[in-house]
Amino acid sequence: MKKDIILSGVGGQGILSIATIIGWAAIKNSLYLKQAEVHGMSQRGGDVQSNLRLSSDPIFSDLIPKGECELIISMEPMEALRYLPYLKKGGWIITNSAPFVNIPSYPELEKVAADLKKEANVISFDSDQVAKDCGAPRSSNMALLGAAAKYIEIIEPETLKDGIRNVFARKGEQIVEDNIKAFEAGFQIATKK
């Protein structure tokens, strides 16, 4: 069993936290894991992307070939579109619908939304608002991870929540609880789709 996941977004949105949690959970499940990241521009609001390859068998490359990604988790809708060439037929896109407009040539949001709707398997929701509604405005990435949990399949949602507890434990119990609450709210959104 295997799962190839691309995480995408803009610097500061928490993509690497998602990668750390999924990685922790994969190791906890005795899975093989390969990860490649691009985050050189993250401090300037640039593209941040991570390839995660999880498998019960050895993995020989950390990069996902075009047309082989089974799941794109994106903190930003335009960034979800950027990685469409990597999406496998029948693959899923879980994306925040709220844009992070950091460039003057950002396309019209209606066009971005229309392009996403052309894809067969998309869950698009305002994870920023979901996190705010949970009283945890900095946990938008965990709301998105919660929505994606159902589609990761190789790792149980409870193990991902254990990963959240492990990764955020040093920040205190309230931060852990906030992130779990956002994760659960995102999970509920995905289960209704």
Side-chain angles (χ1 to χ4, degrees):
M1 186 171 205
K2 74 170 192 68
K3 189 59 115 179
D4 287 339
I5 303 168
I6 290 178
L7 307 174
S8 65
V10 174
Q13 288 188 303
I15 289 299
L16 301 181
S17 293
I18 295 174
T20 301
I21 290 162
I22 294 173
W24 182 93
I27 291 168
K28 187 76 171 168
N29 279 3
S30 300
L31 296 171
Y32 290 92
L33 165 71
K34 292 273 186 179
Q35 181 177 352
E37 297 173 350
V38 174
H39 53 89
M41 292 296 292
S42 64
Q43 292 181 353
R44 297 182 186 190
D47 173 39
V48 176
Q49 174 261 357
S50 182
N51 282 225
L52 286 173
R53 305 192 80 191
L54 315 172
S55 179
S56 54
D57 298 313
I59 305 164
F60 299 103
S61 173
D62 55 355
L63 296 177
I64 300 170
K66 286 187 177 178
E68 294 298 318
C69 177
E70 291 138 328
L71 177 62
I72 295 172
I73 304 172
S74 184
M75 287 297 301
E76 209 286 327
M78 188 179 75
E79 293 299 327
L81 292 175
R82 181 190 305 261
Y83 295 99
L84 281 182
Y86 291 88
L87 191 64
K88 185 179 208 169
K89 188 173 178 69
W92 279 87
I93 300 168
I94 313 297
T95 185
N96 186 357
S97 62
F100 185 93
V101 181
N102 60 341
I103 55 173
S105 59
Y106 194 97
E108 290 183 27
L109 190 54
E110 293 78 23
K111 167 101 173 80
V112 173
D115 287 345
L116 281 169
K117 285 184 181 173
K118 292 176 187 174
E119 298 303 313
N121 301 318
V122 177
I123 295 177
S124 177
F125 68 101
D126 189 339
S127 63
D128 295 347
Q129 189 61 52
V130 168
K132 286 176 190 170
D133 291 346
C134 289
R138 297 192 59 181
S139 299
S140 178
N141 58 340
M142 293 301 106
L144 206 62
L145 177 59
K150 174 180 174 182
Y151 304 97
I152 294 174
E153 301 165 329
I154 196 167
I155 299 171
E156 291 293 320
E158 284 304 316
T159 307
L160 292 169
K161 287 201 284 190
D162 289 344
I164 292 169
R165 289 180 188 98
N166 181 275
V167 168
F168 291 111
R170 65 183 172 81
K171 294 188 175 189
E173 190 58 36
Q174 188 60 53
I175 299 295
V176 170
E177 287 176 25
D178 288 348
N179 282 287
I180 295 287
K181 192 186 304 183
F183 177 95
E184 289 173 346
F187 188 79
Q188 289 304 313
I189 287 168
T191 55
K192 292 175 185 172
K193 302 273 181 184

